[in-house]
Amino acid sequence: MSSGHVEYLKRAIEKSKESFHAGNFPAGGIVIKNGEELASSISSPYPGLFHADSKAISQAFEKYGPLRDAILYVGLEPCLMCQSVAYWAGIRDVYYAVPKAKVSGDYYESYKDTGELTASFNEPIRMYHIAELENEALEVIRDWEKTL
């Protein structure tokens, strides 16, 4: 895995920490294109409508238009809604630290794996798990869960 992807994902995890400290769901998202950060965001309170990834994508799309060749970095594997927002914005590559299976299915639309559904999109969204950052990102989620 390139060090650039690791560094961008570390920044997304920092946004997750920021979200937690703001009293929100502990997720952060960053949209990068050609080494430039187009947008970043924290999540809404839990349960809430807008997740960090969708918010960052929406901000970038509003400012720059279609996000072909942009990459989404998120601490937690995106839900179906956020993957769909990425798809419609033009993003085809997503890097994340924590797989859905490592956290409660309550944080998603379904406990089931949605990979089969997203694999059937007209154009694939390539999902990349950066396992070396999993524990760091998972720690933020576990700290948040202690407050529930």
Side-chain angles (χ1 to χ4, degrees), residues 27-96:
I30 296 178
V31 178
I32 301 288
K33 183 173 181 177
N34 298 326
E36 178 187 351
E37 183 177 307
L38 303 183
S40 66
S41 190
I42 63 174
S43 276
S44 299
Y46 177 81
L49 179 58
F50 297 109
H51 302 162
D53 13 5
S54 287
K55 288 169 64 177
I57 294 164
S58 296
Q59 290 168 10
F61 189 86
E62 285 178 23
K63 188 170 183 181
Y64 299 99
L67 300 173
R68 286 276 177 206
D69 301 319
I71 300 171
L72 174 65
Y73 295 88
V74 290
L76 187 59
E77 183 178 351
C79 70
L80 184 58
M81 173 185 70
C82 292
Q83 288 185 56
S84 296
V85 170
Y87 176 86
W88 288 110
I91 293 174
R92 297 297 181 263
D93 293 298
V94 176
Y95 288 79
Y96 65 94

Side-chain angles (χ1 to χ4, degrees), residues 103-121:
V103 298
S104 172
D106 289 341
Y107 308 154
Y108 290 86
E109 301 90 347
S110 171
Y111 279 78
K112 294 182 179 183
D113 181 2
T114 55
E116 185 177 330
L117 181 60
T118 57
S120 70
F121 284 2

